[in-house]
Amino acid sequence: MTSLCDHGFYEDVLYVYKRCQLYGCLYDNYTFPFVTKVCSCLGSVKIGGVHCKVWRSGFVGNVFVQTGLVDFYAKIGFYDEVFEVFKEIGLRGLKANESTLASLLPVCSRLGKFHVGVSIHGFALKCGYLLDEYLVPALISIYGDGGNLSIARDIFDCLSQKNVTIWNAMISAYTQNHKFEDSFLLFRQMLQNDVQPNVVTFVSIVPACKSFGSTCGEAVHACVLVRGYENQVSVATVLISMYSKLGNVDSAKFISHRVPHKNVLIWNSIISGYIYNKCWEESFGYLS
């Protein structure tokens, strides 16, 4: 199951899990975390059966199993269940780990429960978790979502070693709050520190380009090309939107043509770009 999960064969993990049930194999501490993880990745709502099996097998008191359940419910959107499992961790005398808190924070953002996020931050500080590479981006994001950029930046600055996810979280927080100059300063600092940007970095920084003109947008686009991300749908979508808002419809169209497998986001972006630039006939041509 570990090997299959690590290589992305999620359906096969569930198959092995079901076969184990049929043969009456015993579970251990590692079985359910993998099963909940693949359910999260697959968006499977069959987790209810797995959760019941956790109870019946006596693993409900295992913090790694509980963390897997929190992560699943958070990603699928069963927010009431997320908080119920989190309460269960405390009631059973367990201490939530870094992964548990990192899974819970995005739920707080989506529900607008920023006060709960502050409490989680306090708990993480008390437990000594504030150097965790998964928890720190989640904390930066929730403060960014709440518009409290000073605390988000304090958390960012406290870490001497930062991975690309942490840089992305802070850049995204600035962009989201329309602090575009700060976004670019941080993006430049990231490159100077030899941290390689990824798809998420460009999705976070490209929307800020429209505030600085075409030269800036073209420079970031060049970075995208150098790193080979031009065919990534999420990156292409934001580039199309950027060029459209800068009035460069030809570049937006050129990018859309280079994406081999277009989804509805690409089509919507190019149509919206034509409409934004009052190219009515071209927009209807894409709808026909």
Side-chain angles (χ1 to χ4, degrees), residues 140-246:
I140 292 171
S141 294
I142 193 170
Y143 281 111
D145 291 343
N148 199 332
L149 293 174
S150 60
I151 295 180
R153 186 58 189 257
D154 285 342
I155 295 169
F156 176 84
D157 288 336
C158 280
L159 278 83
S160 56
Q161 299 294 323
K162 306 175 184 72
N163 62 20
V164 66
T165 307
I166 294 170
W167 286 92
N168 288 345
M170 196 66 237
I171 291 170
S172 178
Y174 278 134
T175 301
Q176 192 175 311
N177 286 275
H178 304 287
K179 302 291 184 182
F180 301 132
E181 188 173 345
D182 293 311
S183 293
F184 274 104
L185 286 173
L186 205 61
F187 178 62
R188 185 183 300 171
Q189 187 181 342
M190 177 183 179
L191 297 178
Q192 290 170 346
N193 286 11
D194 292 324
V195 179
Q196 293 302 311
N198 59 17
V199 169
V200 177
T201 314
F202 291 115
V203 170
S204 299
I205 197 65
V206 168
C209 294
K210 65 181 184 292
S211 299
F212 296 94
S214 59
T215 302
C216 178
E218 289 167 1
V220 175
H221 188 183
C223 289
V224 170
L225 291 170
V226 166
R227 288 163 177 83
Y229 292 136
E230 68 273 15
N231 290 332
Q232 293 287 331
V233 170
S234 55
V235 177
T237 301
V238 292
L239 284 170
I240 291 168
S241 177
M242 177 196 74
Y243 277 118
S244 297
K245 288 176 180 175
L246 290 172

Side-chain angles (χ1 to χ4, degrees), residues 83-133:
F83 287 105
E84 285 301 317
V85 175
F86 184 64
K87 287 177 187 175
E88 188 69 29
I89 292 174
L91 290 173
R92 292 185 171 272
L94 301 170
K95 187 171 80 169
N97 61 22
E98 299 96 320
S99 298
T100 313
L101 303 182
S103 297
L104 194 63
L105 283 167
V107 179
C108 297
S109 286
R110 292 180 197 122
L111 297 179
K113 294 187 175 184
F114 299 111
H115 63 289
V116 179
V118 173
S119 298
I120 292 173
H121 184 188
F123 178 76
L125 184 63
K126 182 180 177 181
C127 296
Y129 292 159
L130 289 188
L131 296 178
D132 182 76
E133 62 181 9

Side-chain angles (χ1 to χ4, degrees), residues 15-25 27:
Y15 174 78
V16 172
Y17 170 68
K18 291 173 184 176
R19 298 298 294 180
C20 287
Q21 286 182 293
L22 289 174
Y23 290 120
C25 297
Y27 305 109

Side-chain angles (χ1 to χ4, degrees), residues 1 10 17 25 51 95 122 136 162 212 230 253-254 279:
M1 289 175 71
Y10 301 133
Y17 170 68
C25 297
H51 198 166
K95 187 171 80 169
V136 168
K162 306 175 184 72
F212 296 94
E230 68 273 15
K253 185 178 179 181
F254 177 76
C279 302

